Amino acid sequence: MSQATELAAAAGSTDPRVGLRAVRALRRLLERLEVIQVDNARRQGWSWQEIAEALEVSRQAVHKKHAGRPAVESSWEA
């Protein structure tokens, strides 16, 4: 079972401590995945508008969040 699957299962726990910790970990994983994929899209020449449409957010929102930060390695080992 993958870590993401285990976290998703734990997020449904009846124990709030377990569930909330899993939600926090899933948020971190989701943020990392977004950064990796935005960087991937930019390397492939996608515009901020195309990325925004894929994420269903405004171009301004995605640009503000990602434009000023350095690119990250796309390794899953972090």
Side-chain angles (χ1 to χ4, degrees), residues 10-20:
S13 174
T14 57
D15 180 343
R17 185 166 286 119
V18 171
L20 291 169

Side-chain angles (χ1 to χ4, degrees), residues 4-63:
T5 304
E6 290 173 7
L7 288 171
S13 174
T14 57
D15 180 343
R17 185 166 286 119
V18 171
L20 291 169
R21 264 190 244 147
V23 168
R24 184 184 68 220
L26 284 166
R27 279 189 188 133
R28 282 193 223 127
L29 176 59
L30 180 61
E31 286 298 317
R32 176 143 175 78
L33 291 171
E34 182 177 314
V35 165
I36 289 168
Q37 291 304 327
V38 167
D39 287 352
N40 183 38
R42 293 297 291 166
R43 278 192 297 276
Q44 292 184 31
W46 283 38
S47 69
W48 290 114
Q49 184 62 44
E50 289 173 302
I51 295 168
E53 288 171 5
L55 292 173
E56 296 185 350
V57 298
S58 72
R59 181 189 58 77
Q60 293 85 353
V62 77
H63 186 266

